Amino acid sequence: MKLLLLSSLLALATVSAALAQSPATVKTKVKPVGQASVKTKTTAAASAPAAEAPAPPAATVDAKANALTANMQQNLGLSPQQTEKVRAINRRSVEGLESARLQYKTDPRKLAGVIETISSSRLSAIKDVLTPAQFAKYQRKREEKMGVPNVQGVQGTPPPGLGGGSGDQ
C-alpha cells in the first residue's frame, strides 16, 4: 500500500515537472518504513522572470521622450549638447515609467513609489544639465503644470467678501 502511494506520488511529480514550461527542481524526502510521512519540495524556475519588468514598446518610449525633449528645447532654449543629454535622461525616465506601469498595474501604491523615485532622479539629472536660469524656468513651468501654488498667488488676492481694500464699503 505504501509502495503504491509512493509510486503514484513520484509519478505525479514527474508528470507535473514534464508538463511545466520551464525546468523545475523536485526534491522528495521519504522517511523509513516505520514512519508514514512523505515530504516533497518543488522549486520552479518560472518565478524568476516574473520579477523582471516587462519591456515597453521602444517606439512609444522614443516618441514620448522626443516630445518631452522638444518641448524643453523650445521653452528653455537648450544648446545641442544639452538637448542630447536631456533626450537621454528623458528616454531613460520614460522607459522606466512605462515598464513600471506594466509591472505594477495591479499595485497602485507600489507604482506611485516607483514613479516618485524615477521623477526625483530625473529632476536631479536635469538639474545637472541645465544652467541655473534654465532650471529655475523649468521649475516654474513644472509647478504651474502640476498645480502647485506659488507664494505670490497665495498671499496676493483675498477671498471674495473679505474685503480687498477697494473702499466700496
Side-chain angles (χ1 to χ4, degrees):
M1 177 88 171
K2 290 181 184 179
L3 185 59
L4 181 61
L5 179 62
L6 182 60
S7 300
S8 63
L9 283 175
L10 288 175
L12 185 61
T14 306
V15 169
S16 65
L19 292 176
Q21 292 181 356
S22 61
T25 305
V26 178
K27 294 182 180 180
T28 305
K29 183 176 181 180
V30 180
K31 292 194 175 186
V33 179
Q35 299 174 356
S37 177
V38 175
K39 293 184 180 179
T40 302
K41 180 179 181 181
T42 304
T43 306
S47 61
E52 293 179 18
T60 303
V61 170
D62 286 337
K64 289 182 179 182
N66 288 338
L68 277 170
T69 305
N71 188 16
M72 290 176 71
Q73 183 180 22
Q74 180 182 2
N75 290 320
L76 301 175
L78 301 178
S79 70
Q81 294 84 9
Q82 285 177 316
T83 302
E84 289 311 308
K85 289 178 183 178
V86 167
R87 186 181 319 278
I89 293 166
N90 286 337
R91 184 170 195 321
R92 207 172 35 242
S93 299
V94 169
E95 188 173 31
L97 290 172
E98 292 300 318
S99 66
R101 283 190 180 116
L102 292 173
Q103 185 176 7
Y104 300 114
K105 60 184 168 188
T106 59
D107 190 357
R109 287 186 179 184
K110 182 73 172 174
L111 178 61
V114 171
I115 288 174
E116 181 64 33
T117 302
I118 292 170
S119 179
S120 65
S121 69
R122 177 178 178 265
L123 187 63
S124 174
I126 285 177
K127 185 176 184 178
D128 292 342
V129 172
L130 301 180
T131 65
Q134 287 173 323
F135 187 72
K137 186 174 182 180
Y138 172 76
Q139 278 292 81
R140 280 194 311 274
K141 293 281 188 183
R142 185 171 174 261
E143 289 170 356
E144 287 172 16
K145 182 180 177 186
M146 296 178 95
V148 177
N150 60 14
V151 175
Q152 296 166 345
V154 172
Q155 295 176 353
T157 309
L162 293 181
S166 61
D168 291 358
Q169 297 172 352

